[in-house]
């Protein structure tokens, strides 16, 4: 009997150890270790002031309060961010919605859905040295522009040029990774940059001279700017997860725009290569663009306006008619829906 009891005890212990090992190896358990859901988030454009809200949401515990363990990675503009999302290497991304719509209309990327608007108006612009030859959009003829590889700036330019009465083929382009874009102008490799207007402080610092800003929105009104994005599958199958991330991120956005100094310092602390002054300038210039229409919540997204955006882009010759608002945005997940 003694040997039998000993054998039985050893067998029970062995089975217990095996069961524990199986639990540790289960990817679902690992993904939610400590009770928090692990997700990966991709910033819009490297480590810039416009992305400060994500680090704020992490630092202030907004993500943790929502039961999320968020790994923030540096993004590289519209096209590159969509590639990362499509490859399953990010769960949520930040990108310019207009750029995403253009790529969807051109049938290059369809598996994404916007669920909250960060910038209620487009920030895309031309930035050129003040007092130089570029004072109006038509002055861009024969010039060389710099932009981030795969960015909305270059994708949207043909429609902007058409609205300005300019042949887009008369403009040459030089592309670079997001952190190197300001250096293109400072080094004299380009005549102007096509980038977000809130990037002006960093560009002026790099070039050592004041800049003139020509917003695309002057000729292409009613376009949204950046939005929070996920895959169509996640939007449909994990709506509560999307909403938890949405609310925590927007809480970070609200805090960041109200505290630009603190937001800029945090971006620099998390990413030492970033400049505090430039980050603060971006957050400060961005704040008015985050304000939703009267009576609507932060991050509000309107189906009629997305539909109008698609119509503007079709009229601009960027892609044929047929794309619908529901193919690029999930309005059931928008704030206040």
């Amino acid at each position: 009997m003694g040997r039998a009891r000993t054998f039985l005890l050893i067998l029970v212990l062995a089975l217990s150890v095996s069961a524990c090992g199986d639990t540790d190896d289960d990817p679902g358990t690992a993904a939610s270790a400590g009770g928090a859901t692990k997700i990966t988030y991709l910033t819009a454009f490297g480590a810039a002031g416009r992305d400060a809200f994500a680090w704020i949401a992490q630092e202030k515990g907004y993500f943790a309060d929502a039961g999320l363990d968020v790994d923030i990675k540096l993004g590289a503009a519209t096209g590159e961010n969509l590639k990362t999302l499509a490859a399953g290497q990010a769960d949520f991304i930040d990108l310019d919605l207009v750029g995403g719509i253009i790529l969807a209309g051109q049938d290059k990327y369809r598996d994404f859905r916007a669920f909250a608007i960060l910038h209620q108006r487009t920030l895309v612009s031309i930035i050129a040295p003040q007092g130089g030859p570029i004072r109006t959009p038509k002055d861009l003829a024969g010039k060389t522009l710099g932009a981030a590889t795969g960015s909305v700036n270059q994708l949207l330019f043909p429609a902007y040029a058409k609205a300005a009465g300019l042949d887009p083929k008369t403009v040459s382009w030089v592309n670079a990774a997001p952190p190197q874009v300001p250096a293109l102008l400072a080094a004299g490799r380009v005549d102007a940059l096509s980038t977000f207007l809130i990037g002006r402080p960093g560009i002026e610092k790099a070039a050592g001279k004041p800049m003139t800003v020509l917003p695309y929105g002057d000729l292409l009104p009613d376009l949204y700017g950046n939005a929070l994005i996920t895959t169509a599958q996640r939007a449909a199958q994990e709506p509560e997860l999307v909403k938890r991330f949405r609310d925590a991120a927007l809480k970070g956005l609200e805090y960041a725009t109200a505290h630009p100094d603190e937001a800029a310092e945090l971006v620099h602390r998390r990413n030492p290569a970033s400049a505090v002054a430039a980050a603060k300038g971006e957050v400060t210039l961005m704040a008015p663009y985050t304000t939703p229409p009267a009576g609507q919540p932060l991050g509000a997204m309107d189906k009629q306006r997305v539909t109008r955006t698609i119509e503007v882009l079709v009229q601009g010759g960027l892609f044929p008619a047929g794309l619908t608002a529901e193919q690029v945005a999930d309005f059931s997940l928008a704030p206040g829906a």
Side-chain angles (χ1 to χ4, degrees):
M1 287 294 291
R3 290 181 178 177
R5 283 197 298 269
T6 300
F7 175 78
L8 181 59
L9 178 60
I10 292 172
L11 180 61
V12 170
L13 288 172
L15 289 173
S16 298
V17 171
S18 176
C20 290
D22 289 343
T23 300
D24 290 341
D25 290 339
D26 178 67
T29 303
S32 58
T37 304
K38 291 186 176 181
I39 62 171
T40 298
Y41 168 74
L42 207 60
T43 70
F45 198 72
R50 72 198 72 174
D51 295 295
F53 69 90
W55 286 289
I56 287 286
Q58 189 178 63
E59 179 86 358
K60 298 294 181 182
Y62 303 153
F63 285 142
D65 291 344
L68 303 174
D69 180 4
V70 181
D71 181 16
I72 302 173
K73 295 186 179 297
L74 303 186
T78 303
E80 299 303 309
N81 281 9
L82 282 173
K83 287 180 184 178
T84 303
L85 183 70
Q89 297 173 354
D91 302 296
F92 297 99
I93 63 175
D94 176 357
L95 57 76
D96 190 286
L97 180 56
V98 171
I101 290 174
I102 292 171
L103 293 174
Q106 294 173 350
D107 206 24
K108 294 178 180 178
Y109 293 98
R110 287 286 182 98
D111 182 25
F112 73 87
R113 295 293 183 272
F115 56 88
I117 299 297
L118 298 172
H119 306 148
Q120 294 292 329
R121 290 174 287 156
T122 182
L123 300 178
V124 181
S125 68
I126 299 296
I127 296 183
Q130 203 171 96
I134 299 174
R135 295 180 174 86
T136 71
K138 287 187 176 181
D139 294 332
L140 295 170
K143 302 297 191 298
T144 300
L145 296 180
T149 304
S151 70
V152 64
N153 306 283
Q154 193 167 349
L155 292 171
L156 185 56
F157 185 78
Y160 175 70
K162 181 178 180 180
L166 170 73
D167 182 357
K169 294 180 181 178
T170 63
V171 175
S172 302
W173 292 87
V174 175
N175 296 125
Q180 279 75 55
V181 170
L184 294 176
L185 186 59
R189 295 185 58 195
V190 298
D191 301 299
L193 299 176
S194 183
T195 186
F196 280 12
L197 59 88
I198 58 175
R200 178 170 57 86
I203 294 169
E204 289 180 334
K205 181 179 179 181
K209 61 181 71 173
M211 295 288 150
T212 293
V213 178
L214 303 175
Y216 279 31
D218 287 351
L219 301 180
L220 300 172
D222 213 26
L223 300 183
Y224 278 128
N226 277 32
L228 293 177
I229 307 285
T230 191
T231 62
Q233 181 179 15
R234 179 166 289 105
Q237 298 181 1
E238 301 180 87
E240 293 309 312
L241 173 64
V242 175
K243 290 177 181 178
R244 282 156 52 200
F245 177 82
R246 177 200 71 194
D247 292 345
L250 290 176
K251 193 173 181 181
L253 179 63
E254 183 177 29
Y255 188 95
T257 53
H259 303 84
D261 289 284
E262 184 178 347
E265 290 286 352
L266 179 58
V267 172
H268 176 68
R269 191 161 75 246
R270 295 293 185 88
N271 307 273
S274 66
V276 174
K280 179 186 175 182
E282 281 209 5
V283 176
T284 302
L285 290 172
M286 179 185 76
Y289 290 83
T290 67
T291 304
Q296 295 188 33
L298 188 66
M301 182 172 62
D302 181 71
K303 178 181 175 181
Q304 291 183 342
R305 192 166 165 200
V306 174
T307 299
R308 288 199 299 273
T309 293
I310 293 173
E311 292 172 352
V312 167
L313 299 176
V314 170
Q315 292 168 5
L318 296 180
F319 54 85
L323 186 71
T324 67
E326 290 85 357
Q327 289 176 299
V328 295
D330 190 325
F331 299 97
S332 70
L333 298 176

